Amino acid sequence: MTTPVPTQRNQRNQEERSPTTGHSGRPGPASGLRAAVYNRFWHSMGGGERHNGMIAQVLAAEGAQVDILGHAEVDLTAIAEHLGLDLSGCRYRLLPDRGDEAIAELSADYDLFVNGSYMSRLIPRSRHAAHLCFFPTPADHDAPGWRKAAIRVCGPLLRGVRPAVGYGTGWYPPEGGRRRQWIWTNGAGVLAVSAGGERELRADIGRPGATGMVRLRVQDAHGELLASVEIDESFKPVAVPLPASSAGSELTLVSDTFTPGSATAGIPAPGTVAPGIPASRDLRQLGVAVSRPRVTDQRDGARALLASRFPWLLANPRDLGYLDSYDVVMANSVYTRSWIRRLWHRDAAILYPPIQVERLVPAEIRERAVLTVGRLFAPGLGHAKRQLEMVEWFGGLYRSGALPGWRMHVVGGCEESQLPYLDKIRESARGLPVEIHPNAPRHEVERLLSTCSIFWSATGYGEDPDRRPWTAEHFGMTTVEAMAGGCVPVVIDRAGQREIVRHGLDGLRWTSPEQLASFTRRLATEEGMRARLAASAVARAQEFSDAAFTDRWREIAARHQLYARRASPASLSPDPESRDRKDRG
């Protein structure tokens, strides 16, 4: 897991491509540039990853030598095919997850470093750098009030202190209460430990809700066993001796897993109402729960000790000095840029996401159907798409007789942890002409986008747009896709939807469920109105195409001189073996 191993095809592309020409074989504006595009979440292969990948594609086409950096073992060819990208001119580098400091050190190898990781506070050392921001969500956005107050008071005192322990891959979201919080591994959770002398990693580890004992093995980056301990349901302190390391280390917590919904022995499983009676279909594969991880060092000062005991104190949203290391901050929408100004007190360039509008061909004959597309997850987890409410609203319209012969399609990816929410949607759809398509293949999604008549979006409904702006749609990629497919968008009048849908020209924007119902009734009965808006929507969607994205990126790169003052060609291509040795640390 620690060595960057390109696929055979990508290795061949790396060897064959010229360092001074683009895909066309002619010198490009980025000829000789060594560039990196960093994202922690390539494995999720979502819209954010396509946004990052398109930057890599354009850079390679303009002659740059492009490395795509990540921490998960992924097949770059598979990512390219899934996202509809040409990454043949790029190389994937699989890096140990040793925290931001290790990535910052690596960034010094590049002329241009593009950081596209959500909520990243990395400080690059490259000649030039660009930060792609999907939304400036505060680091303490989900912290309780008392923690936010402590961060405001203590955060400035800890300025410059780096967290000794960070979470890498293999972890579920935090859970627990005020007295104790913990994070579950998926059976192989990675912890990044900062550089230092001989120390101990300490943590409280248990398996609340599980039965029996499990063997936990703590391994270093080379697979060497550092500790082996038995863990039961109750939290107990665990200490793991750490050898000295000048580059930091990567530890993997390996254990067998269990499924909470199947924990039916005498102790209630998480989320149960009585012993042995699961209250929800929680199908996560849980290893061990880790609470209060920290690194002890007798030479640590008071500030370092405070930070190691309460690492959340370092999540100070007012500490924005890391942004000074970037030539440009790029926002994915005007909405995001407005909040960057408000929260970060900086301006940003607009780089709208690239949409594959050419893949969507509007059908002449449309199905009398309302379509909604978006990830299925319950409110309270980011910008929830509100599918449950939309099914309820459709049900009210259908039962009132306002939509005779109409159907509804609910499309979206669904992780195992969100199966209880999916069950609620299915229950609400009972007896209605509603089809739910969890984890539908892309060709089926595109078919529905090209054949349905109306597209609904309600992201941000029920949320306070000033107190929790990150719950709204930061842009609205599926809205653009629906428009390209000929669906008339009827979307909430908030956030990124406002800059996509021009009310009355290529769609309609609503402010209440009653208004949504009224607009939908009109479109269902006034075919001329629907056809006019659909034609305008198709034309509007072209403004967010891959070609438009390429033009915007080139303009940003030129304005901020991201390709300027490159190093000499002799220093652009360090020996691959020495570079790989550096990765392995």
Side-chain angles (χ1 to χ4, degrees), residues 26 53 55 71 92 105 135 143 155 158 194 196 209 221 272 286 345 351 367 373 420 435 502 529 570:
R26 296 187 300 271
I55 294 175
H71 304 296
Y92 183 76
E105 181 180 356
F135 197 80
L158 299 178
S194 61
T272 61
L286 305 181
H345 312 294
L351 186 64
E367 180 182 2
V373 180
E435 294 185 33
R502 299 170 298 183
M529 176 186 182

Side-chain angles (χ1 to χ4, degrees), residues 432-578:
L432 295 171
V434 174
E435 294 185 33
I436 302 172
H437 310 261
N439 301 316
R442 180 63 188 176
H443 66 83
E444 177 66 8
V445 178
E446 292 180 353
R447 183 189 69 80
L448 292 169
L449 289 166
S450 299
T451 58
C452 289
S453 297
I454 299 173
F455 177 81
W456 278 5
S457 178
T459 307
Y461 174 76
E463 299 283 359
D464 187 325
D466 292 316
R467 293 176 61 88
R468 290 169 53 82
W470 47 87
T471 59
E473 198 70 80
H474 309 157
F475 175 66
M477 297 177 68
T478 55
T479 298
V480 177
E481 289 179 329
M483 294 167 70
C487 289
V488 175
V490 182
V491 300
I492 191 168
D493 188 21
R494 287 188 179 181
Q497 304 285 15
R498 289 178 172 174
E499 53 200 279
I500 298 172
V501 179
R502 299 170 298 183
H503 183 74
L505 292 178
D506 35 50
L508 300 166
R509 302 200 306 261
W510 56 269
T511 57
S512 68
E514 293 76 20
Q515 196 174 45
L516 166 68
S518 175
F519 290 156
T520 302
R521 282 194 297 266
R522 286 194 61 188
L523 290 170
T525 56
E526 299 182 25
E527 179 61 26
M529 176 186 182
R530 193 208 64 77
R532 173 178 59 83
L533 293 176
S536 181
V538 172
R540 173 67 168 168
Q542 310 310 307
E543 299 181 25
F544 304 101
S545 65
D546 285 0
F549 176 94
T550 300
D551 290 341
R552 290 189 181 101
W553 166 261
R554 287 172 174 167
E555 192 276 330
I556 291 171
R559 189 191 332 152
H560 296 277
Q561 299 184 332
L562 298 183
Y563 301 167
R565 298 186 301 279
R566 295 189 296 275
S568 62
S571 65
L572 293 178
S573 303
D575 175 59
E577 292 186 5
S578 65

Side-chain angles (χ1 to χ4, degrees), residues 46-47 370-378 381 383-388 390-391 408-415 418 421-422 425 435-440 442 445 448-449 455-459 473 476-482 497:
V370 172
L371 171 67
T372 183
V373 180
R375 281 195 302 152
L376 300 164
F377 56 93
L381 301 174
H383 51 298
K385 308 301 182 180
R386 299 287 179 171
Q387 289 95 342
L388 179 59
M390 286 189 283
V391 169
M408 182 179 193
H409 294 280
V410 179
V411 180
C414 183
E415 298 178 358
Q418 294 305 307
Y421 182 64
L422 176 59
I425 298 172
E435 294 185 33
I436 302 172
H437 310 261
N439 301 316
R442 180 63 188 176
V445 178
L448 292 169
L449 289 166
F455 177 81
W456 278 5
S457 178
T459 307
E473 198 70 80
M477 297 177 68
T478 55
T479 298
V480 177
E481 289 179 329
Q497 304 285 15

Side-chain angles (χ1 to χ4, degrees), residues 71 91 110 162 234 251 290 328 353 534:
H71 304 296
R91 184 184 72 153
Y110 295 95
R162 299 291 179 192
S234 59
L251 309 179
V290 178
V328 60

